[in-house]
Amino acid sequence: MALAVVRDLREHWAPASAEELERFETDALSGFVLARASAGLADGTIRGDVGHLDQVRTWFGRPLWDMEPADADVYFGKVLRGSPSGTRLARSQALSTYFIFLELRHKAELHRITGRVIECPIDEMNRPRGAKDAQLRIPPSEPEVGTLFTGWGGELATCRKFAPTARNYTASKLMSQVGLRVSEACGLDLEDVKWGLAASASSTSATAKAPADRARASGWCP
């Protein structure tokens, strides 16, 4: 068996043209949008992330994969210095997520056509302070929910306008105990709500999309 010199094939690859890089950038962003949609994110969330990326891309003037930590320092430390913390946090999160996508899906191809190794410009040193988890609302405890509906139900006897108050009370109780979505509750008619059907109550609607097992698990449906 003879030995041979291992040659680096990258030396023989032609550099990508500006048009090829532009097409690749467009395809990468389209793939990012499709991947986020596949993950189940709402359209508004995806549009928000793309909007953040477009803002950074417009400022940077080059494909985002060329961005380095020093560029992120300038952008978040100077350009967005006076912006609300939520804006800075959301923009950095969108940028970090996009780089995760590039690293997972296009790391080898980007290295081939650009010679760069993908590295997220947001690191532990320049990451904007704060976390989205801290902004989540903590759900009330079961006793607190009981106190709310007990007091709300008592106010039905003295409320100024009974019909809208009763409507809101019923819709909120169904959403909290059956698990109906807002759109599903809005699609209910008066005859859809049958309080005496089971031990407690139940609701059925042709327009409601709540799974039957979700309602049964709550104990509201037989």
Side-chain angles (χ1 to χ4, degrees), residues 60-92:
F60 190 53
R62 303 200 306 275
L64 291 177
W65 57 68
D66 287 338
M67 201 170 184
E68 297 183 353
D71 300 313
D73 293 344
V74 174
Y75 184 69
F76 290 98
K78 292 184 177 180
V79 178
L80 294 187
R81 179 67 176 178
S83 300
S85 59
T87 300
R88 300 172 69 248
L89 181 62
R91 195 154 299 175
S92 68

Side-chain angles (χ1 to χ4, degrees), residues 25 35 96 100 109 119 127 146 155 164 189-190 192 196 205 210 221:
E25 184 180 16
S96 298
I100 292 175
E109 189 173 4
E119 181 181 2
R127 188 183 309 278
E155 291 179 359
D189 293 326
L190 186 60
D192 294 325
S205 175
C221 289

Side-chain angles (χ1 to χ4, degrees), residues 141-161:
S141 62
E142 186 173 349
E144 290 174 333
V145 174
T147 301
L148 169 66
F149 283 106
T150 299
W152 200 355
E155 291 179 359
L156 290 176
T158 59
C159 63
R160 180 171 173 267
K161 294 184 177 181

